[in-house]
Amino acid sequence: MFLSACIITKNEASNIKSCLESVKDIADEIIILDAFSTDTTLEIAKKYTSKIYVKEWIHDFSFSRNFTISKATGEWILIIDADETFQYDVDFISNLKAAKTDAFSIIRKEIYKQHHDLKQVQFPVNIIRLFKRETQAKFRYPIHERLDDFFIENNIPIAINHNCYLNHHISANVTFVQSKQKKYLAQIDEYLQKHPTDDWLIYQKIKTLKYFKQHSQALQLINAFKTKHYKISVATQVIKSQIYIENGTLDKAIHVLKNLPKARNSTIVRMLLGDIYFKKKSCMQPYNNTSN
């Protein structure tokens, strides 16, 4: 058994077929943990795998992720969400078999439509989703779960896999997304009451506040936030620049981005700076009203 795909589900009937179709030809087994779906999620999933487990949802994403990992028997484990699809090239499996690293991050393309003009855009995110089972990797955090801390603490190097990527189509239903984010924010606040200095979830709270355009509260948290985690620090300052962009204070956004240590080569930073300079140039262009 070479590759196990691990998925958690609850009422994902509209997404699960595309997800499973994207991995069926490369995964030697597909592990699904379902939280008592009331739609046709399981009916669809049973056409692709018999390794389906059902447990009551306990508001802990890491528990569910780690359960699927515990049931996997493949040499490599691929973590994929029900609303994602896995894209790979012809060299993916052969290069994975020859890999000299035990864990990979994958580019996830966040695909969504902007509310003001319905233009479809993509936002790239690097996320650890592919690793050897022998690493005994474990997700952490009940919400916005992640593997980064595990691999850092165990000195396991992480490479970027360039033979694959994930497409993540974010729902265009604003009410649905906002309801989901409100639940996440409540769970983050509950966790932070017990762990008030946790860097990762403070960052997630800042990001969620920015989503709800609660800019002054987000900026207050950012300005008081001190972290030794380089990536979290950079990501937080990127959010700060995005808030300034949304508020129209473009020079402040440029100042934040240009003062990020070692981040000038970051794709996201370059994208944001390019967008800001374009906005500034557009604002400076005189309006040419010609008539025949």
Side-chain angles (χ1 to χ4, degrees):
M1 193 78 65
F2 183 67
L3 181 65
S4 302
C6 295
I7 309 167
I8 59 176
T9 59
K10 183 174 183 180
N11 295 333
E12 292 285 356
S14 61
N15 298 311
I16 191 63
K17 182 178 179 179
S18 297
C19 173
L20 293 171
E21 281 287 330
S22 75
V23 298
K24 69 174 185 177
D25 293 331
I26 56 163
D28 297 293
E29 66 175 357
I30 299 173
I31 312 293
I32 293 178
L33 175 61
D34 184 78
F36 287 101
S37 290
T38 56
D39 61 7
T40 58
T41 297
L42 291 181
E43 182 181 335
I44 297 168
K46 286 175 183 177
K47 297 177 182 178
Y48 294 85
T49 180
S50 61
K51 297 185 177 182
I52 299 173
Y53 303 86
V54 179
K55 283 184 176 290
E56 183 178 355
W57 179 246
I58 61 170
H59 301 288
D60 190 329
F61 284 92
S62 284
F63 170 84
S64 298
R65 299 283 193 200
N66 293 334
F67 179 87
T68 62
I69 292 171
S70 74
K71 298 299 181 181
T73 60
E75 180 182 346
W76 283 87
I77 292 175
L78 170 67
I79 303 296
I80 181 169
D81 285 342
D83 60 353
E84 296 172 341
T85 57
F86 187 67
Q87 312 297 318
Y88 56 93
D89 63 26
V90 293
D91 297 319
F92 172 70
I93 291 295
S94 59
N95 284 351
L96 192 60
K97 287 181 178 179
K100 295 182 180 179
T101 185
D102 292 341
F104 287 101
S105 63
I106 298 174
I107 298 296
R108 182 171 70 179
K109 299 179 181 179
E110 305 283 359
I111 303 170
Y112 60 96
K113 288 187 177 180
Q114 298 182 135
H115 302 315
H116 62 281
D117 60 6
L118 296 182
K119 179 182 178 182
Q120 182 168 287
V121 297
Q122 297 183 8
F123 192 83
V125 178
N126 228 1
I127 188 167
I128 303 171
R129 288 292 191 82
L130 184 63
F131 53 91
K132 282 189 174 180
R133 183 166 57 91
E134 67 181 20
T135 63
Q136 300 184 345
K138 294 286 187 296
F139 279 89
R140 297 181 186 176
Y141 298 104
I143 184 76
H144 297 301
E145 71 283 10
R146 69 191 215 133
L147 290 165
D148 302 57
D149 295 339
F150 174 88
F151 287 107
I152 291 170
E153 291 172 11
N154 288 279
N155 296 313
I156 300 174
I158 301 163
I160 299 177
N161 195 306
H162 296 288
N163 298 113
C164 62
Y165 62 90
L166 291 163
N167 278 336
H168 180 214
H169 290 270
I170 299 173
S171 173
N173 186 327
V174 177
T175 303
F176 170 77
V177 175
Q178 287 185 344
S179 173
K180 197 170 172 181
Q181 291 298 324
K182 283 180 182 177
K183 289 179 183 177
Y184 288 168
L185 185 58
Q187 198 168 349
I188 289 169
D189 282 335
E190 182 180 347
Y191 185 87
L192 286 175
Q193 286 180 3
K194 299 176 183 177
H195 310 275
T197 61
D198 189 284
D199 290 356
W200 174 243
L201 284 187
I202 291 174
Y203 161 69
Q204 292 296 336
K205 181 171 183 176
I206 290 168
K207 188 167 71 169
T208 310
L209 289 172
K210 186 257 180 188
Y211 168 80
F212 284 115
K213 296 191 181 298
Q214 297 179 23
H215 290 169
S216 27
Q217 190 175 350
L219 287 172
Q220 186 177 359
L221 268 178
I222 291 170
N223 291 332
F225 188 39
K226 305 295 181 185
T227 177
K228 294 180 180 179
H229 293 273
Y230 170 73
K231 289 184 178 179
I232 294 177
S233 175
V234 169
T236 304
Q237 292 302 306
V238 166
I239 290 176
K240 187 175 186 178
S241 74
Q242 290 172 324
I243 291 173
Y244 286 144
I245 293 170
E246 290 181 17
N247 290 341
T249 50
L250 301 183
D251 288 333
K252 284 187 176 181
I254 291 171
H255 177 77
V256 169
L257 293 171
K258 283 194 167 183
N259 282 277
L260 284 174
K262 303 179 184 179
R264 292 296 299 278
N265 293 326
S266 163
T267 300
I268 293 174
V269 171
R270 289 202 304 268
M271 284 172 55
L272 287 171
L273 282 171
D275 185 51
I276 295 169
Y277 286 126
F278 179 79
K279 288 178 186 293
K280 283 176 69 71
K281 184 177 180 181
S282 298
C283 291
M284 294 172 65
Q285 292 292 335
Y287 177 63
N288 185 16
N289 184 12
T290 60
S291 57
N292 295 326

